Amino acid sequence: MIKKLFDFFVSFTGLLLFLPIIILTSIISLVLQGFPVFFLHKRLGKNGIFFTMIKFRTMTNGASQSAEHDITRLTKWGRFLRKTSIDELPVLLNVIKGEMSLVGPRPLPIKYLDRFNSFQRKRMDVKPGITGLAQVKGRNQLSWDSRFKYDIDYINKKSFFLDLSIIFKTLYL
């Protein structure tokens, strides 16, 4: 219950504080990239329930064939949004709605559900997070196996103080 209230309070406060940045980013995105401004993507939530994650769009429109193809679709503006993590600000709405938490395993696209083994499925025992243990331990430099290991370590050790530690490490990375 403390985590739920903390998530809501911090996300709501963050949304209010960052509202000018969100509005300015929306306007610049509209001018530089056009519609849509936001990227909506189905992700795996707690207990494998799907939800729609909202982020600022960072790529040109068009269907992606592969991760390599995605890199070529990344715009200069999108690269800036990702580098500064501004593209993640709308995700605070997912936390306010109760679909995500501030801290937890990063939500993966629904296409991965059938690929998980029983160990990997444990990451869905908690709400996905904006940041998590895997992010502060190496983020994209980690192998998939290491990411899953850190996700499960988080679930096994989760506490309010661990969440605070991860939040502070995320802010100072």
Side-chain angles (χ1 to χ4, degrees):
M1 190 60 168
I2 291 173
K3 181 178 175 83
K4 195 175 196 175
L5 288 172
F6 180 78
D7 282 347
F8 181 84
F9 177 75
V10 170
S11 297
F12 188 77
T13 302
L15 204 55
L16 289 177
L17 287 172
F18 291 116
L19 193 57
I21 294 172
I22 292 169
I23 292 169
L24 184 61
T25 302
S26 297
I27 293 168
I28 294 170
S29 292
L30 185 61
V31 170
L32 294 179
Q33 299 179 150
F35 284 108
V37 171
F38 298 104
F39 173 69
L40 306 174
H41 199 252
K42 294 281 187 210
R43 297 293 176 112
L44 293 168
K46 184 176 179 181
N47 300 321
I49 297 171
F50 306 160
F51 72 96
T52 303
M53 191 167 87
I54 181 170
K55 296 171 73 169
F56 280 111
R57 184 167 63 92
T58 59
M59 296 184 192
T60 59
N61 287 324
S64 175
Q65 306 301 319
S66 66
E68 292 82 24
H69 185 250
D70 281 350
I71 299 300
T72 63
R73 293 179 44 232
L74 190 62
T75 65
K76 287 180 183 178
W77 174 242
R79 203 176 326 275
F80 169 77
L81 293 178
R82 286 188 180 187
K83 185 176 182 180
T84 58
S85 295
I86 292 173
D87 67 317
E88 297 276 348
L89 289 177
V91 176
L92 292 171
L93 289 170
N94 292 109
V95 178
I96 290 170
K97 289 168 52 178
E99 299 164 327
M100 289 180 67
S101 180
L102 292 171
V103 180
R106 283 291 292 175
L108 293 175
I110 60 175
K111 68 181 181 181
Y112 293 115
L113 182 60
D114 293 337
R115 300 177 190 179
F116 293 158
N117 61 34
S118 59
F119 175 76
Q120 293 166 335
R121 283 184 187 271
K122 288 181 184 179
R123 71 189 312 277
M124 292 184 290
D125 288 351
V126 297
K127 287 182 186 177
I130 295 175
T131 188
L133 191 58
Q135 280 65 45
V136 299
K137 294 289 187 178
R139 205 173 184 178
N140 293 333
Q141 287 75 33
L142 297 174
S143 68
W144 278 103
D145 287 339
S146 293
R147 288 184 207 186
F148 282 113
K149 180 191 161 302
Y150 283 124
D151 288 343
I152 304 308
D153 282 351
Y154 168 77
I155 291 166
N156 292 333
K157 297 175 184 175
K158 70 181 176 164
S159 72
F160 182 68
F161 293 108
L162 178 58
D163 282 7
L164 286 178
S165 169
I166 291 170
I167 289 168
F168 285 118
K169 287 178 182 174
T170 300
L171 293 174
Y172 293 105
L173 281 181

